[in-house]
Amino acid sequence: MADAAAPGAATSQAALDAVQRYPREAITIARRVLVDPLADADERSAAERAIGLALRELNELPDALRHLRRAVRVAGEPRVAALAQMSLGYVLASAGRTSAALSAVTAALPRLSGAEAGRARMQRGVVLHYRGRFDEAVRDYGLAVEIAQREGDQLLEARARNNRGLLHANRGSAPGTDGDLHRAAAIFQRLGLDLAAADVGWNIGIAAGQAGDLPGALRRFAAVDEEYARLGVPRPALLLDRFELLLSVPLVDEAAEVAGTAIRELRRRRMASDLAEALLARARAALLAGDLDTASETAAQARVRFRRQGRRIWAAFARHVELRAEFRRGDRSAALLAAMVRTADELDGTGWPDPALTTRVEAARVALALGRAADAARLLDVAARARRRGTASRRARGWYALALSRRLDGDQRGGARALRRGLAVLDGYRASLGATELRAQSGAHGAELAAEGLDLAVRAGTPARVLDWAERWRANALRHGAVLPPRDPELAGALAELRMVSAAIEEALLAGRSGHPLRRRQARLEQRIRELARGANGGGGPVAPPSVRTLAERLGPAVLLELVAHGERLRAVLVRSGRATLHDLGPLADAVKAARLHRFGLRRLVVTGDSAEARAALEHAATTLDRQIFGPLRARLADRPLVVVPIGALHAVGWAGLPTCAGRPVTVAPSATSWLSAGRRALPQGPPLLVAGPRLPAAETEVRLLGEVLPDARRLTGASATAEAVVAGLDGARLAHVAAHGTFRADNPLFSTLELADGPLTAYELERLPRPPGCVVLSACDSGLSAVRPGDEIMGFTSVLLGLGARSLIAPVLPVPAEPTIPLMLDLHRRMAAGTRPAPALAAAARSFADSGDPAARATAAAFVCFGAG
């Protein structure tokens, strides 16, 4: 019998050996043992165990548990039963049944020795890891590594090191993390275990993200994603790691989408443990998005699941989200304060310091609202210790806590110093992010510090300090040096393929065919482009905000008006003739509403045509907005040229349509700092470029007529107006004019497009320009629009071109009809060709339209805005 059984034993072991390399083949091999009438009980147990572990790799947990329970039942030898119990415990933990998992693995330990005891130690560490008992998990992982080295079991050593490295990475304890993970990856590669090596590669990405190397983490995730696709193995639980990385930027919308996908996949596969974490992820994204109902409800669902699974620490994390939602709703009760303090202590005591820090700071604000200053001081003192170590966001939050503590003590200067230190930390973090999108989205991190500093300055009534604080976190991405994306053939290929797919979608729609398959392909390409573009390394640090004196020297006779949102009020700093003044312009909500109505009125006239009702509504909206913003300032403005730095909600205003701005040179800038930088740039001397896009007959006419004004210009029309030719022509041109269909993408502004002969040109592609043109005129609908992110960060063609170094951009913030646009553009270019700067040239051209008496023509002229240096 022993001789007959030997082949079965070898086959069972072959199945176990294949689990991590080829899980589907492992199942096939093991099934041969199960149908072999000569296989004994232990061989059958090993085969069932191999099938269960392979199904775990394929995320089929219910079936995996069924086979592993059978492996325990059919085993003959106690040692074989213990091995099956050990594997059962591992999968039970994955299914969220951590109490049963811990019991199973602990019961298996006494019956195992040598390398098998090491594997059981490692599995016990995994279960303890799931339960949030991190120190005990680290101890068991360490024992497993020692046993593996003593027994010469490289596979065990790699697995234990991988788990220990991941735990350290998730806790933010960097020492030893990279060493463990890189050694594990090397062992797996040496053993030919591609899937295990890919898993470790993903964990190295997690460690990079936790260490603040966001571009490195994104590159790593993208590479490992391709490896998983090659191996044909799904990893839905790893979506949660991608979620963490996206939320750290924060890319809130994309993070919420990933959380939703994870919930669907994990629920379908019945992966209860990871599903609870996915629900918590959705709650956290909803909290950042301001969806407090979803945040509270989903966090409560996650907390119930964590409690059922015996994961007390995770339940505390979910409670933390619930409490933050209550705080955001305005709850300032003693009960909330007590719950926040209790939850912060629990999180801190179990190795989750970042949510504990946030909870303490908000608890201190509750204590202040309750008049319990001593309690607030104690909470802030503990929170302020975080400023010394950890990630950039953690250190910045520590400085924020110190600033609140200083203000509580009456030390306003000390508070301001702490806030500046916190913003400096975040500036360093931003400098490490090369991609425009990541820099723009990261503005959320400094919002509280900047708002606190602004409040200090407003209360002090010092205009120069208000300006300084407004500039410290406004359009900060543009204050950093431009970073060209890496010369990546894969990125270039993906952009070219996206252009072809987009053109095919347009053709399908025009032909009445379904474009759904193409749209799915488009979505996949856009995601790939985002990932590749985000991998750019950072550039230099930020430019310091300018002083009033520096601005005044550059302004000359012009006036700079910087609008500031302070709580529920709209305020303004006005710089004129070397002096800054501070003004209260009234309720912020009133200005936002008036701007929305003014924009609607302009759009109505331009798109639907003239009517007495439309003219009256537009005039009323324009007068209302003009009175609120410029009424208190009219005497100081006189008839001087104007530089406007709007708040985010006013970036889409057609300024030339307001009475005070009509006929006046108006330049709009994302910040005073960016305006100053743009004005200092040398104008490139390359020949002008004129481009006409397809399906727009008026564009050909526009370019032909402009060619008479600019005889040395290079013209790209018809089939020659390809994306590659346009990008080449833009490089170093002193002036560029593009007449084409434009589309603004609010969901991802860097995919906003200008339609060219071979498909749409995206803002992503303009990021690759080594030498931006001096002045760009976009005669394309909505091409001057920008999405606005926290910190008044703008995203779209404006941010890309000004960020690269273009001096000025003239573009419409509304759809514009072709008929009145052509004469407006001709007048504009004639004036610029005669030596007039862009902003005065646009103002004069718009004034001539106003004199024509045609309301639609006036509205068209008001849609065009001069951005940058003017």
Side-chain angles (χ1 to χ4, degrees), residues 127 146 202 211 225 255 337 339 353 570 651 661 759 801 831 863:
V127 178
E146 291 174 13
W202 188 273
D225 264 341
L337 174 60
L570 178 65
H651 260 286
C661 299
L801 289 167
R831 295 174 190 276

Side-chain angles (χ1 to χ4, degrees), residues 12 15-16 19 26-27 30-31 33-34 41-55 63-75 84 87:
S12 297
L16 286 166
V19 162
I27 293 170
R31 282 176 176 158
V33 176
L34 296 180
D42 289 344
E43 291 160 3
R44 289 178 179 280
S45 176
E48 294 282 8
R49 182 169 159 242
I51 293 173
L53 290 173
L55 288 169
D63 290 340
L65 288 170
R66 189 175 70 253
H67 283 279
L68 289 169
R69 289 193 180 99
R70 194 178 297 152
V72 175
R73 284 199 309 271
V74 303
S87 298

Side-chain angles (χ1 to χ4, degrees), residues 696-753:
L696 194 62
E700 299 268 355
T701 304
E702 191 171 316
V703 164
R704 178 176 55 79
L705 294 172
L706 287 175
E708 298 173 7
V709 180
L710 300 165
D712 62 333
R714 179 186 179 189
R715 301 186 208 180
L716 295 174
T717 62
S720 66
T722 64
E724 183 179 0
V726 169
V727 171
L730 288 170
D731 186 22
R734 70 175 184 271
L735 173 66
H737 180 102
V738 180
H741 283 297
T743 303
F744 175 69
R745 283 275 300 273
D747 61 322
N748 191 323
L750 297 185
F751 283 117
S752 296
T753 59

Side-chain angles (χ1 to χ4, degrees), residues 20 57 162 194-204 224 228 235 238:
Q20 278 207 306
E57 290 298 314
N162 176 45
D194 293 347
L195 178 57
D199 287 340
V200 181
W202 188 273
N203 293 342
I204 291 171
V224 178
Y228 284 139
R235 282 287 190 263
L238 299 188

Side-chain angles (χ1 to χ4, degrees), residues 364-523:
R365 292 172 64 182
V366 174
L368 284 172
L370 292 170
R372 293 163 61 170
D375 289 339
R378 280 193 296 272
L379 288 163
L380 292 171
D381 285 346
V382 174
R385 297 170 193 163
R387 70 190 186 278
R388 298 302 184 192
R389 61 187 299 271
T391 62
S393 60
R394 175 174 172 77
R395 285 181 285 136
R397 197 144 187 83
W399 284 110
Y400 176 65
L402 182 64
L404 293 180
S405 178
R406 293 284 187 267
R407 289 194 74 178
L408 184 60
D409 292 338
D411 181 4
Q412 306 301 322
R413 288 187 177 181
R417 281 196 301 271
L419 292 168
R420 283 193 290 270
R421 293 288 296 274
L423 288 175
V425 168
L426 293 175
D427 273 340
Y429 167 69
R430 271 191 162 177
S432 72
L433 304 177
T436 300
E437 179 189 21
L438 298 184
R439 285 183 170 182
Q441 297 280 11
S442 66
H445 286 303
E448 285 182 319
L449 290 104
E452 196 72 21
L454 186 67
D455 185 63
L456 278 168
V458 170
R459 290 180 185 278
T462 312
R465 284 170 58 189
V466 173
L467 180 66
D468 181 76
W469 275 107
E471 285 291 305
R472 281 184 181 276
W473 209 247
R474 167 167 275 167
N476 213 316
L478 296 179
R479 287 174 54 212
H480 292 74
V483 179
L484 288 176
R487 290 192 174 277
D488 183 350
E490 187 177 358
L491 176 58
L495 287 164
E497 186 178 355
L498 177 65
R499 191 159 44 251
M500 289 188 291
V501 169
S502 300
I505 290 172
E506 187 70 27
E507 289 175 11
L509 292 174
L510 291 173
R513 300 192 306 270
S514 171
H516 291 309
L518 289 168
R519 289 199 181 281
R520 287 194 292 272
R521 187 175 168 198
Q522 181 187 43

Side-chain angles (χ1 to χ4, degrees), residues 243 275-285 298-299 302 306 314 317-318 321:
F243 167 86
L275 176 58
E277 293 178 33
L279 288 167
L280 177 57
R282 172 183 277 173
R284 293 165 61 200
T298 316
F306 287 134
W314 281 92
F317 195 175
V321 176

